[in-house]
Amino acid sequence: MDNLIGTHWHHLPAREVVELLESDQQHGLDRFSVEHRQKEYGPNRITTRRETPAIIRFLLQFHQPLVYILIASGIITAFLREWVDSGVIFGVVIVNAVIGYIQEAKAVNALAALARTMTAEATVVRGGEKRRLAAEALVPGDIVLLQSGDKVPADLRLLQLRDLQIDEAALTGESLPVAKKEAMLAHETLLADRANMAYATTLVTYGQGLGIVTAIGDHTEVGRISQLIAAVEELETPLTRKIGAFSNLLLYVILGLAVVTVAVGMWRGASFVDMFMAAVALAVGAIPEGLPAAVTVTLAIGVGRMARRRAIIRKLPAVETLGSTTVICSDKTGTLTENQMTVQAIWAGGSAYTVSGAGYDPRAGRIEHADLAALPALRECLTAGALCNDSTLVEAAGDWQVHGDPTEGALLVAAAKAGLDLARLAGELPRRDTLPFESQHQYMATLHQAGDGGRIYVKGGAEVVLAACSDQLGQNGASAPLDVAAIHAEVVRLARQGLRVLAVARKEWHGEAIDHGSVAGGLTLLGLQGMIDPPRPEAIRAVRTCLEAGVAVKMITGDHAVTAAAIAGQIGLHGTMGQAGAVLTGQELARLTDRELMVAAERTAVFARVSPEQKLRLVEALQAGGHVVAMTGDGVNDAPALKQADIGVAMGISGTEVAKEAAAMVLTDDNFSSIEAAVEEGRGVFDNLVKFIVWALPTNIGEGLVIMAAIFLGLALPILPVQILWINMTTAGILGLTLAFEPKEPGIMRRTPRSPKAPLLGRPLIVRMTLVSLLLMAGAFGLFAWQLGQGGTLTEARTVAVNTFTVMELFYLFNCRSLTRQVHELPFFSNPLAFGGAVVMLLLQVAYTYVPVMNRLFASAPIGGKAWLAVFASGLAMLLLIEIEKRLQQPA
């Protein structure tokens, strides 16, 4: 049997499957066969990948260029015996590592969650006896009995069944339970259409069945998904890639400048020790110690904002990734749609009617232009749908729910929208007998007491019911000839809209019970009802907003192509070819080469009946085309693609634990509009990160330029290493972090997405940062020299230089509240923390200048009023010059 592992079984006759697996349909496997196969194939469970030890995962958090810079900074400050500063820097490093470790530990739980889905019990026939066993004990060839409520314990080829229906949504994306059958299928039949198979972890919702185990553990379809998850590598986010590249560049620049500084100083005759300390000062000045903390805090603030908009972030960098998303691949059911089947069209008495409203709330819609009292055919059509029905419609705390089959629920809601009292109907026409739905018959029938006689109501597939009808109910309630051509045309019209069409009929009956012969002919057609899981109104608006923002939206669903195309047309999805609702199926995708798939993924907006591997392939194809991809999903089948995507988005309500663990973000309301809101917040977060970087880096560059200028000119250092640390650590935390709280820029969702290849900072911002760096150097160096020229001591001159840096940064902070708009164009108190930070910073500088303890710690000294006027004049000059530069950079 070894060569049968991984075999497809759906295309083989049931008897041949039993023979190949060396089993017996009546008696099952004997004890010795079971023991032999348990040794050969092992337990029926998914093996999880061997995890990296926790200590290694923790240490790997330090393996980042920016962290190397921070560690170097901490070592340098410790070398200078500045223990407090060194402790702060190492504290930042350790906190960042702990946060990263916790996030990664959560992320790797996806496989463990998947393995837990396999735990269940099963009813098995062994040695001619029925036994209840742990699913883990199953082996290939075991005969398994299924009934409503069971979780399928392994992959099975179905041998016998009675009305068996299985919910496979988590595995295939199919929105409704699948009616199973025993007959063999074509070899090329897609996974979602293999009706003679039952797959591990899916749920039996109706009927009974008998099947033979064809695959266990890692060889099941869900086991193959586990292997796909394990094979997917974690992707770097656009932000981590760009900051990593920037950090690498910064490392080389700092080392290069330090070497040049030492060489120039020694060439001028300075001692090596003095030049080494100057190089240390240069390195301390150039290292942006506050950047990692600022990135973490800004992202964390974004997490809070997104949570308020129903998006829970599980991986911090995902906040920014959303802002750079260029493509959103969304599931259909429950995300773009209501996940509530709704009757939208009715045909009765030769007339068509439109039903308004979506979802299960009967008060949310009505049947347009219809008066039931004057339309007996319409009333009977709705009555039949409501009574030939095993589901119930209930209200709980204002929320309407269907208990039972969603299709039957839609029929109940349609009747209630028309004003029919469901409880009263059931009382007036009590049920006496039922023929339940069976897949081989494709209809359901119920017998009701109607006065002194009885009445049969039938609902089912249009072709099946129509074949048993001899006449139809006219609009006035009288019998009319059956217009087969017109009815067929109406069925086709509704089906083209993606509606699932059911026909309803009736027959007067005087017997006490009914059988299939009772409804084989002589029925009166009452009408047709067309239903669909309709799109969410807010999803339609959100899709439009995304498209206006340059973010492509693609629907990837396990549902049928016609249904997918109909929903796509309603929400405005179309490919670059301009064909609204154009669809590629999984069967068509399977025939495409990788290059052809990249073209198809770019041009097509709707993909239907796709397998887990194809979802993964589509994400990879889009990424290969340079896109930043957000992928939504709720099922086990979505987990590999969720993990591969730049940002995976799981559904909080309907999503499986596997999907949630594999995703970077979870939606608490399963609504596409929450993704659009999260993209908006992500863009705001990125804007604020750029604002911080544009504000912070000129300080580091300016400090480096001051040190280099002093060395090249053979002068005393205007600022000491410990003073540089004071500037960097206080201003970054007290001033810079307030930029993380800036509100979003207006029109943020009318901008096109940033190109993933675009640099973190564009040319205009680099020009501005260079200008600010030169202004900081000129201000600090100039006022340092001015203070010395006024007869001040070296300590006083350095104090003036430090205050100049700080105050110029403070004024420049207000320039950076918007990188494009003028200061006077911003709402004055839209970010009160910026003003609070400015006040606190000024108070700290007063303490730095006048408090004796601070004078001793930081080599500062009190300065006079004239010096303060000069310092604030330099700050005001900074503000005005940058506003002028902004105006000049604006397009005419």
Side-chain angles (χ1 to χ4, degrees), residues 175-341:
S175 54
L176 294 172
V178 178
K180 294 297 181 177
K181 59 185 181 182
E182 305 158 28
M184 56 187 266
L185 301 168
H187 188 277
E188 64 273 14
T189 305
L190 296 174
L191 178 71
D193 297 320
R194 294 175 190 168
N196 59 9
M197 298 290 295
Y199 294 108
T201 76
T202 59
L203 188 67
V204 179
T205 59
Y206 192 81
Q208 298 173 330
L210 181 78
I212 183 169
V213 175
T214 57
I216 63 171
D218 293 336
H219 298 289
T220 61
E221 289 297 329
V222 77
R224 287 175 52 250
I225 291 172
S226 171
Q227 292 166 23
L228 288 175
I229 297 174
V232 172
E233 294 295 326
E234 289 284 350
L235 292 178
E236 285 186 302
T237 68
L239 179 68
T240 53
R241 284 196 294 266
K242 287 168 184 170
I243 287 188
F246 168 73
S247 302
N248 283 326
L249 175 64
L250 198 58
L251 270 174
Y252 294 122
V253 169
I254 291 171
L255 291 174
L257 289 177
V259 170
V260 170
T261 300
V262 172
V264 170
M266 291 182 68
W267 176 70
R268 293 184 61 87
S271 70
F272 174 77
V273 173
D274 289 343
M275 287 303 95
F276 178 75
M277 293 308 295
V280 166
L282 176 65
V284 169
I287 292 172
E289 294 90 349
L291 184 56
V295 170
T296 301
V297 169
T298 306
L299 293 176
I301 291 165
V303 167
R305 287 177 174 176
M306 289 183 182
R308 289 192 288 275
R309 301 188 74 171
R310 300 182 177 86
I312 306 300
I313 299 297
R314 296 185 62 254
K315 300 175 184 178
L316 209 55
V319 177
E320 182 275 333
T321 310
L322 276 163
S324 41
T325 297
T326 58
V327 177
I328 300 173
C329 297
S330 177
D331 191 18
K332 176 183 70 69
T333 306
T335 309
L336 292 168
T337 65
E338 298 276 5
N339 199 20
Q340 295 181 341
M341 290 295 286

Side-chain angles (χ1 to χ4, degrees), residues 721-742:
V722 69
Q723 294 169 336
I724 290 173
L725 276 172
W726 165 264
I727 296 170
N728 290 356
M729 299 304 288
T730 55
T731 57
I734 296 168
L735 293 179
L737 283 183
T738 64
L739 292 172
F741 296 89
E742 277 298 319

Side-chain angles (χ1 to χ4, degrees), residues 742-816:
E742 277 298 319
K744 294 184 291 293
E745 296 276 349
I748 198 168
M749 286 301 282
R750 290 195 294 273
R751 302 188 321 219
T752 56
R754 297 187 320 277
S755 167
K757 298 176 183 176
L760 194 61
L761 303 172
R763 185 186 296 273
L765 293 179
I766 292 173
V767 170
R768 183 178 302 168
M769 288 166 56
T770 303
L771 174 61
V772 172
S773 301
L774 292 172
L775 289 173
L776 283 168
M777 180 191 74
F781 210 101
L783 290 184
F784 171 76
W786 174 82
Q787 183 68 19
L788 288 175
Q790 294 289 310
T793 65
L794 183 60
T795 303
E796 290 171 345
R798 283 173 171 159
T799 304
V800 170
V802 169
N803 280 308
T804 301
F805 257 106
T806 304
V807 172
M808 290 180 79
E809 279 190 81
L810 188 152
F811 277 88
Y812 179 49
L813 177 78
F814 292 93
N815 295 120
C816 289

Side-chain angles (χ1 to χ4, degrees), residues 400-472:
W400 289 85
Q401 298 175 345
V402 166
H403 293 172
D405 183 78
T407 299
E408 291 189 330
L411 297 172
L412 292 174
V413 174
K417 283 179 178 177
L420 294 179
D421 186 327
L422 301 179
R424 185 176 175 183
L425 271 182
E428 291 175 349
L429 298 164
R431 187 186 298 191
R432 287 172 19 194
D433 197 12
T434 303
L435 280 177
F437 177 89
E438 293 180 349
S439 55
Q440 64 264 41
H441 293 116
Q442 293 294 307
Y443 63 78
M444 173 184 177
T446 53
L447 173 62
H448 299 264
Q449 181 72 39
D452 294 332
R455 183 178 299 158
I456 301 172
Y457 284 120
V458 180
K459 77 165 189 296
E463 297 295 331
V464 174
V465 174
L466 191 57
C469 290
S470 56
D471 64 345
Q472 67 185 61

Side-chain angles (χ1 to χ4, degrees), residues 35-113:
E35 290 177 355
H36 172 72
R37 295 182 191 201
Q38 284 176 336
K39 289 176 183 176
E40 186 174 355
Y41 300 112
N44 177 30
R45 63 166 176 253
I46 294 172
T47 54
T48 54
R49 183 174 55 178
R50 185 179 177 184
E51 289 188 15
T52 306
I55 185 65
I56 300 298
R57 289 211 314 272
F58 179 71
L59 292 175
L60 285 174
Q61 304 303 318
F62 298 95
H63 184 51
Q64 302 171 43
L66 201 59
V67 175
Y68 292 153
I69 294 175
L70 277 176
I71 292 171
S73 175
I75 292 170
I76 291 167
T77 50
F79 179 78
L80 295 171
R81 298 181 179 275
E82 301 297 336
W83 307 117
V84 173
D85 297 318
S86 181
V88 169
I89 294 169
F90 280 120
V92 168
V93 171
I94 291 168
V95 167
N96 282 342
V98 169
I99 291 172
Y101 170 77
I102 291 170
Q103 291 163 355
E104 186 175 331
K106 288 179 179 178
V108 297
N109 285 338
L111 291 176

Side-chain angles (χ1 to χ4, degrees), residues 584-602 604 607 614 617-618 621:
L584 266 181
T585 64
Q587 212 160 19
E588 292 165 329
L589 286 175
R591 294 195 289 266
L592 299 181
T593 65
D594 288 346
R595 185 174 295 277
E596 289 169 338
L597 182 65
M598 285 180 64
V599 175
E602 190 74 40
T604 310
F607 302 88
Q614 288 171 334
R617 242 187 114 202
L618 278 168

Side-chain angles (χ1 to χ4, degrees), residues 165-180 190-195 199 202-203 205 331-334 337 339 341 406-407 500 533 556-564 607-612 615 634-638 654:
Q165 295 182 29
I166 298 180
D167 181 357
E168 296 180 343
L171 182 65
T172 66
E174 176 66 60
S175 54
L176 294 172
V178 178
K180 294 297 181 177
L190 296 174
L191 178 71
D193 297 320
R194 294 175 190 168
Y199 294 108
T202 59
L203 188 67
T205 59
D331 191 18
K332 176 183 70 69
T333 306
T337 65
N339 199 20
M341 290 295 286
T407 299
R500 182 183 183 191
D533 179 13
I556 303 178
T557 178
D559 218 333
H560 294 281
V562 174
T563 307
F607 302 88
R609 306 303 271 179
V610 293
S611 69
K615 287 189 178 186
D634 55 5
V636 172
N637 62 324
D638 296 319
S654 62

